[in-house]
Coordinates of all heavy atoms in Angstrom, one line a residue:
T174 N -12.0 -10.7 -3.7 CA -12.5 -9.6 -2.8 C -12.0 -9.8 -1.4 O -12.3 -11.0 -0.9 CB -14.1 -9.5 -2.9 OG1 -14.4 -9.3 -4.3 CG2 -14.5 -8.3 -2.1
I175 N -11.3 -8.9 -0.8 CA -11.0 -9.0 0.6 C -11.6 -7.8 1.3 O -11.3 -6.7 0.9 CB -9.4 -9.0 0.8 CG1 -8.7 -10.2 0.0 CG2 -9.1 -9.0 2.2 CD1 -7.2 -10.2 0.2
N176 N -12.4 -8.1 2.3 CA -13.0 -7.0 3.1 C -13.7 -6.0 2.1 O -13.6 -4.8 2.3 CB -12.0 -6.2 4.0 CG -11.5 -7.2 5.0 OD1 -12.0 -8.2 5.4 ND2 -10.3 -6.8 5.5
D177 N -14.5 -6.5 1.2 CA -15.2 -5.8 0.2 C -14.4 -4.9 -0.7 O -14.9 -4.1 -1.4 CB -16.3 -4.9 0.9 CG -17.3 -5.7 1.7 OD1 -17.7 -6.8 1.2 OD2 -17.7 -5.3 2.8
Q178 N -13.1 -5.2 -0.8 CA -12.2 -4.5 -1.8 C -11.9 -5.4 -2.8 O -11.2 -6.5 -2.5 CB -10.9 -4.0 -1.0 CG -10.0 -3.3 -1.8 CD -8.8 -2.8 -1.0 OE1 -8.7 -3.0 0.3 NE2 -7.8 -2.3 -1.7
I179 N -12.1 -5.1 -4.1 CA -11.7 -6.0 -5.2 C -10.3 -5.8 -5.6 O -9.8 -4.7 -5.7 CB -12.7 -5.7 -6.5 CG1 -14.1 -5.9 -6.1 CG2 -12.2 -6.5 -7.7 CD1 -15.1 -5.4 -7.2
L180 N -9.6 -7.0 -5.6 CA -8.1 -6.9 -5.9 C -7.8 -7.8 -7.0 O -8.5 -8.8 -7.2 CB -7.4 -7.4 -4.6 CG -7.7 -6.6 -3.3 CD1 -7.1 -7.4 -2.2 CD2 -7.2 -5.2 -3.4
E181 N -6.7 -7.6 -7.7 CA -6.1 -8.4 -8.6 C -5.2 -9.4 -8.0 O -4.5 -9.0 -7.0 CB -5.3 -7.5 -9.7 CG -6.1 -6.6 -10.5 CD -6.9 -7.4 -11.6 OE1 -6.4 -8.5 -12.0 OE2 -8.0 -6.9 -11.9
A182 N -5.1 -10.6 -8.4 CA -4.3 -11.6 -7.8 C -3.9 -12.7 -8.9 O -4.5 -12.8 -9.9 CB -5.1 -12.3 -6.7
N183 N -2.8 -13.3 -8.6 CA -2.4 -14.5 -9.4 C -3.0 -15.8 -8.8 O -2.9 -16.0 -7.6 CB -0.9 -14.6 -9.4 CG -0.2 -13.3 -10.0 OD1 -0.7 -12.8 -11.1 ND2 0.8 -12.8 -9.5
E184 N -3.5 -16.6 -9.7 CA -4.0 -17.9 -9.3 C -2.9 -18.7 -8.6 O -1.8 -18.7 -9.0 CB -4.6 -18.7 -10.4 CG -5.4 -19.9 -10.0 CD -6.3 -20.5 -11.0 OE1 -6.4 -19.9 -12.1 OE2 -6.7 -21.6 -10.7
G185 N -3.3 -19.2 -7.4 CA -2.3 -20.0 -6.7 C -1.5 -19.2 -5.6 O -0.8 -19.8 -4.8
E186 N -1.6 -17.9 -5.6 CA -0.9 -17.1 -4.7 C -1.7 -17.2 -3.3 O -2.9 -17.3 -3.3 CB -0.9 -15.7 -5.2 CG -0.1 -14.7 -4.3 CD 0.0 -13.3 -5.0 OE1 -0.7 -13.1 -6.0 OE2 0.7 -12.5 -4.4
S187 N -1.0 -17.2 -2.2 CA -1.6 -17.3 -0.9 C -2.4 -16.0 -0.6 O -2.0 -14.9 -1.0 CB -0.6 -17.6 0.1 OG 0.1 -16.4 0.5
I188 N -3.5 -16.2 0.1 CA -4.3 -15.1 0.5 C -3.5 -14.1 1.4 O -3.6 -12.9 1.2 CB -5.6 -15.6 1.3 CG1 -6.5 -16.4 0.3 CG2 -6.3 -14.4 1.9 CD1 -7.6 -17.1 1.0
L189 N -2.7 -14.6 2.2 CA -1.9 -13.8 3.1 C -0.9 -12.9 2.3 O -0.8 -11.7 2.5 CB -1.1 -14.6 4.1 CG -0.2 -13.9 5.1 CD1 -1.1 -13.0 5.9 CD2 0.6 -14.8 5.9
N190 N -0.3 -13.4 1.3 CA 0.6 -12.6 0.4 C -0.2 -11.5 -0.4 O 0.3 -10.4 -0.5 CB 1.4 -13.5 -0.6 CG 2.6 -14.2 0.1 OD1 3.0 -13.7 1.2 ND2 3.0 -15.2 -0.4
I191 N -1.4 -11.9 -0.8 CA -2.2 -10.9 -1.6 C -2.6 -9.8 -0.6 O -2.5 -8.6 -1.0 CB -3.4 -11.6 -2.2 CG1 -2.9 -12.6 -3.3 CG2 -4.3 -10.6 -2.8 CD1 -4.0 -13.6 -3.6
A192 N -3.0 -10.1 0.6 CA -3.5 -9.1 1.5 C -2.3 -8.2 1.9 O -2.4 -7.0 1.8 CB -4.0 -9.8 2.8
R193 N -1.1 -8.8 2.2 CA 0.1 -7.9 2.5 C 0.4 -7.0 1.4 O 0.8 -5.9 1.6 CB 1.2 -8.9 2.8 CG 1.1 -9.5 4.2 CD 2.3 -10.4 4.4 NE 2.3 -10.9 5.9 CZ 3.2 -11.7 6.4 NH1 4.2 -12.1 5.6 NH2 3.1 -12.1 7.6
A194 N 0.4 -7.6 0.1 CA 0.8 -6.7 -1.0 C -0.2 -5.5 -1.2 O 0.1 -4.6 -1.9 CB 0.8 -7.6 -2.3
N195 N -1.4 -5.7 -0.7 CA -2.4 -4.6 -0.8 C -2.7 -3.8 0.5 O -3.7 -3.1 0.6 CB -3.7 -5.2 -1.4 CG -3.6 -5.6 -2.8 OD1 -3.7 -4.7 -3.7 ND2 -3.3 -6.9 -3.1
G196 N -1.8 -4.0 1.5 CA -1.9 -3.2 2.7 C -3.0 -3.6 3.6 O -3.4 -2.9 4.5
I197 N -3.4 -4.9 3.5 CA -4.5 -5.4 4.4 C -3.8 -6.3 5.4 O -3.1 -7.2 5.1 CB -5.5 -6.3 3.5 CG1 -6.2 -5.3 2.5 CG2 -6.5 -6.9 4.5 CD1 -7.0 -6.1 1.5
Y198 N -4.0 -6.0 6.7 CA -3.4 -6.6 7.8 C -4.1 -7.9 8.1 O -5.3 -7.9 8.4 CB -3.3 -5.7 9.0 CG -2.7 -6.4 10.2 CD1 -1.4 -6.6 10.3 CD2 -3.5 -6.7 11.3 CE1 -0.8 -7.3 11.3 CE2 -2.9 -7.4 12.3 CZ -1.6 -7.6 12.4 OH -1.1 -8.2 13.5
I199 N -3.3 -9.0 8.2 CA -3.8 -10.3 8.7 C -2.6 -10.7 9.7 O -1.5 -10.8 9.3 CB -4.0 -11.3 7.7 CG1 -5.0 -10.9 6.6 CG2 -4.3 -12.7 8.3 CD1 -5.2 -11.8 5.5
P200 N -3.0 -10.9 11.0 CA -1.9 -11.2 11.9 C -1.3 -12.6 11.6 O -2.1 -13.5 11.2 CB -2.6 -11.2 13.3 CG -4.0 -11.4 13.0 CD -4.3 -10.8 11.7
A201 N 0.0 -12.8 11.9 CA 0.6 -14.0 11.7 C 1.9 -14.0 12.5 O 2.7 -13.1 12.4 CB 0.9 -14.4 10.2
L202 N 2.1 -15.1 13.2 CA 3.4 -15.2 14.0 C 4.4 -16.2 13.3 O 5.6 -16.0 13.4 CB 3.1 -15.7 15.4 CG 2.3 -14.8 16.3 CD1 2.0 -15.5 17.7 CD2 3.0 -13.5 16.5

């Protein structure tokens, strides 16, 4: 669950990649 949105993910995948794949913005330089 990211920001109260339930998402499908692969175990071991980074949180940042999961968020990006689902249109959830997390800043990163």
Side-chain angles (χ1 to χ4, degrees):
T174 303
I175 300 179
N176 298 337
D177 299 321
Q178 181 181 352
I179 298 171
L180 304 171
E181 292 287 330
N183 296 316
E184 189 166 349
E186 188 176 5
S187 77
I188 293 169
L189 182 59
N190 282 340
I191 296 164
R193 286 180 173 181
N195 287 279
I197 299 169
Y198 177 71
I199 298 174
L202 294 177

